[in-house]
Amino acid sequence: MKNFSKKIRLPKNWQNALNEVTNSYSLEKILSAVNEEILRGKEIYPPVDQIFRAFECCPFSSTKVVIFGQDPYFQKGLANGLAFSVEKNQSIPPSLKNIYKELENDLGGISNLNGCLKNWALQGVLLLNTSLTVEKSKPGSHSQIGWEYFIQDVLDILNTKNNIVYFLWGSNAQKYSKFINKKNNLILQTSHPSPLSAYRGFFGSKHFSKCNNYLKKNNIEQISW
């Protein structure tokens, strides 16, 4: 576990913030479970040094938008630690294609030319999967190892801030709405952008313009989507 824990650590700004609401024991248990899977020869995504990439790219103090995904991509070479994102050389996955389609319909264009969403993260968008790891070819395989408690801790500490916009797409993300302070933040809910459900409300939701309008109203710099 020692070498493993050297490769995977929360950035200090997030760790310091989370220390206000929790001790690190629960996170240690989760990481120990992930390490056990790896020692048993299972292939886990994203690579261990990218498990906390969403937090590395988006510091606690900068976070003003949270977009929830479910699992990291469970196909080899896709997951990069940022929800919905892939590296620049990868084909754009179907859910992200639909996100871009809605963005274009909502705002008239998109800033990205590929599937990497790092530029969103660097502007204060926390691209947060509700499970931060997954076994190859097994969606949902790490949904029961404790990540949900870590996500609740993250939401607890974000509740100490105000005027954050939360994108809750699909039922898995929406179950976390009860942990968000609704008075001081904006929650945007609709169906998941996957091809199976995008037509049930995601298309036409105009969440991106609603987000920027809310940020502007609260004198917060808008996101260049």
Side-chain angles (χ1 to χ4, degrees):
M1 183 70 181
K2 264 191 178 178
N3 289 336
F4 183 78
S5 61
K6 280 180 184 174
K7 288 182 183 177
I8 170 168
R9 284 191 179 171
L10 264 176
K12 276 199 171 171
N13 63 91
W14 278 100
Q15 187 63 67
N16 291 340
L18 283 164
N19 284 343
E20 299 296 316
V21 298
T22 185
N23 61 53
S24 59
Y25 178 64
S26 60
L27 186 54
E28 283 177 16
K29 281 177 69 177
I30 298 166
L31 296 180
S32 180
V34 173
N35 190 38
E36 283 296 317
E37 297 273 279
I38 292 169
L39 291 174
R40 286 163 59 197
K42 295 188 176 181
E43 203 164 337
I44 304 301
Y45 302 142
V48 293
D49 60 351
Q50 294 183 351
I51 289 174
F52 291 127
R53 192 176 178 205
F55 300 91
E56 291 164 5
C57 294
C58 181
F60 171 69
S61 60
S62 303
T63 302
K64 53 191 173 184
V65 177
V66 180
I67 296 181
F68 273 102
Q70 190 166 343
D71 280 328
Y73 294 115
F74 54 84
Q75 302 93 335
K76 188 176 181 66
L78 290 187
N80 67 3
L82 304 174
F84 295 106
S85 176
V86 293
E87 292 303 289
K88 293 178 180 179
N89 61 333
Q90 297 286 350
S91 298
I92 298 174
S95 289
L96 185 54
K97 279 184 181 175
N98 284 341
I99 290 171
Y100 283 174
K101 185 176 180 181
E102 172 59 20
L103 246 177
E104 198 150 16
N105 289 336
D106 186 7
L107 298 177
I110 56 175
S111 61
N112 279 18
L113 300 175
N114 53 63
C116 182
L117 302 180
K118 185 179 177 181
N119 66 316
W120 290 5
L122 295 175
Q123 294 179 73
V125 180
L126 184 64
L127 294 159
L128 186 63
N129 282 312
T130 55
S131 289
L132 299 193
T133 53
V134 70
E135 184 182 343
K136 177 185 177 182
S137 302
K138 292 187 177 178
S141 51
H142 285 189
S143 62
Q144 302 298 319
I145 67 169
W147 281 123
E148 68 271 24
Y149 302 114
F150 173 71
I151 299 301
Q152 288 170 33
D153 287 341
V154 170
L155 293 175
D156 279 348
I157 196 62
L158 286 173
N159 278 334
T160 65
K161 296 162 65 92
N162 291 324
N163 303 323
I164 294 176
V165 182
Y166 291 88
F167 290 67
L168 303 184
W169 296 334
S171 57
N172 185 71
Q174 286 161 18
K175 71 184 181 184
Y176 288 94
S177 65
K178 62 186 176 185
F179 302 108
I180 299 168
N181 183 329
K182 297 169 182 61
K183 283 186 180 178
N184 300 332
N185 303 286
L186 176 64
I187 297 176
L188 298 171
Q189 297 190 124
T190 188
S191 63
H192 194 275
S194 78
L196 294 173
S197 56
Y199 289 93
R200 296 181 195 154
F202 179 79
F203 288 138
S205 61
K206 299 192 178 295
H207 279 182
F208 301 99
S209 58
K210 287 175 182 176
C211 170
N212 275 355
N213 289 339
Y214 178 84
L215 295 175
K216 184 178 180 182
K217 182 178 132 186
N218 287 284
N219 299 311
I220 300 168
E221 189 174 354
Q222 299 171 69
I223 306 298
S224 176
W225 300 107

